[in-house]
Amino acid sequence: MAANMKAVKLRMKSVQSTMQITKAMELVASSKLRKAKERADACRPYFQKLHETLADIANHNTDFTSVYSCEPKSDKYCYVMVAGDRGLAGGYNSNLFKHLEADAKEKDFVVVPVGKKSVEYCERRGYEIITRDYAEVAALTVSDCYAMAKTLCEEFRKGTFGHIVLTYTKFISMLSQQPDSMQVLPLSDLATESEEKEPVRNLILYEPSSQEVFDTIVPEYLGGLIYGSICEGSVSELAARRMAMEAATDNAQEMLETLSLHYNRARQASITQEITEIVGGAEGLS
């Protein structure tokens, strides 16, 4: 009985220590979440306006054929996968990996992993990796995203791959984060986005030419999308971690209550047994 009580008490101490860690991680995620959400909300308008500008050039200037809007030279895909640096975030990373597997099924593809978990997953699965330079997503800046976009566009022009797909986790709400894939190159679909709109006269003169302006903007556009996906992924990861740690803390509290009940029962049984032995011994002496 005493050994059983000792085991329960050790288990209670272990659960209490775990609960302190999960509670601390929940509080840290909550404190970072607000700033990450503000950053994600602040960067959306710029990228939306940049996308509209590209669509305007593609729709109203039909006298050029950009390499970024032509039919792809290769059927190979390049997935830019934005995951997290750490675990303990519920299904944030695993759901993204499952989404990639489903989207890339039966395709010839390479991967640019962004985040430590993304790199580890690609190495474990044996995927072809273009670069490991972006293994720490928390340290990436806007300039890093533009450098990545420039490299991707150079490889796209060479014909190394014919499609670039951005795979990340979209932040919907504090309780919902959804993996998503966005095809960013080629931009041939942009030319049909405004077909149903009222035709407008093109009053913009591009120097030196609309094609050169278009080809210059595309890498900036891609870098902006990558940075936006990193912001979305960061706030999604923090929200998922906060939810996971909150659930873990609640579960630890329930386990602690159950273990306390078992400990009190064992303690009561031990005291009752000792009283019974004392009474029995006293009766035997008398």
Side-chain angles (χ1 to χ4, degrees), residues 42 66 83 85 95 99 109 115 118-119 147 210 213 215 222 234 281:
S66 171
D85 290 331
N95 291 338
H99 178 80
F109 68 96
S118 182
V119 174
S210 56
V213 172
D215 290 347
L222 179 56
S234 296

Side-chain angles (χ1 to χ4, degrees), residues 53-276:
T53 303
L54 281 172
D56 179 69
I57 297 174
N59 282 293
H60 300 140
N61 294 273
T62 58
D63 58 339
F64 72 93
T65 304
S66 171
V67 65
Y68 298 117
S69 59
C70 294
E71 289 297 321
K73 299 178 182 178
S74 171
D75 291 332
K76 199 168 189 175
Y77 283 75
C78 176
Y79 283 88
V80 181
M81 183 168 61
V82 181
D85 290 331
R86 297 178 296 162
L88 297 176
Y92 170 74
N93 291 310
S94 59
N95 291 338
L96 183 68
F97 299 153
K98 290 176 184 176
H99 178 80
L100 174 69
E101 291 176 4
D103 194 78
K105 190 176 182 181
E106 299 180 356
K107 291 179 182 176
D108 183 18
F109 68 96
V110 295
V111 183
V112 177
V114 181
K116 291 180 182 178
K117 291 296 179 181
S118 182
V119 174
E120 291 173 1
Y121 169 77
C122 292
E123 290 177 343
R124 188 168 61 250
R125 300 287 292 183
Y127 295 151
E128 183 181 349
I129 298 176
I130 296 293
T131 177
R132 293 174 173 81
D133 293 342
Y134 309 102
E136 191 171 352
V137 67
L140 294 182
T141 62
V142 178
S143 59
D144 294 324
C145 295
Y146 287 135
M148 186 195 311
K150 185 178 179 181
T151 302
L152 289 171
C153 288
E154 288 176 357
E155 295 299 323
F156 182 84
R157 288 196 300 269
K158 291 177 185 176
T160 307
F161 39 77
H163 304 269
I164 298 179
V165 181
L166 187 59
T167 303
Y168 67 104
T169 302
K170 183 187 294 184
F171 178 78
I172 299 175
S173 69
M174 293 294 182
L175 302 177
S176 178
Q177 302 84 39
Q178 181 178 351
D180 190 26
S181 289
M182 176 193 302
Q183 176 134 357
V184 292
L185 287 180
L187 298 170
S188 53
D189 57 330
L190 289 177
T192 61
E193 285 188 358
S194 303
E195 280 186 355
E196 298 180 359
K197 292 182 179 179
E198 217 178 288
V200 296
R201 291 181 61 192
N202 180 26
L203 302 177
I204 302 175
L205 179 63
Y206 296 98
E207 292 290 347
S209 69
S210 56
Q211 180 174 336
E212 290 188 33
V213 172
F214 188 83
D215 290 347
T216 303
I217 289 177
V218 167
E220 302 289 328
Y221 161 72
L222 179 56
L225 283 179
I226 292 173
Y227 180 72
S229 68
I230 289 175
C231 293
E232 289 279 336
S234 296
V235 68
S236 298
E237 181 183 10
L238 288 170
R241 180 170 291 114
R242 188 193 67 80
M243 287 179 57
M245 293 301 100
E246 183 181 6
T249 303
D250 293 341
N251 291 337
Q253 185 64 43
E254 291 179 7
M255 289 179 63
L256 202 57
E257 292 175 359
T258 303
L259 289 170
S260 297
L261 183 62
H262 290 327
Y263 179 79
N264 290 333
R265 286 178 178 174
R267 182 169 173 272
Q268 186 176 6
S270 177
I271 293 172
T272 303
Q273 183 179 357
E274 289 178 3
I275 293 174
T276 304

Side-chain angles (χ1 to χ4, degrees), residues 27-39 171 174 234-240 242:
L27 294 174
V28 170
S30 298
S31 65
K32 292 181 178 180
L33 183 59
R34 182 181 58 83
K35 185 178 289 187
K37 188 175 184 302
E38 288 176 355
R39 187 179 65 169
F171 178 78
M174 293 294 182
S234 296
V235 68
S236 298
E237 181 183 10
L238 288 170
R242 188 193 67 80

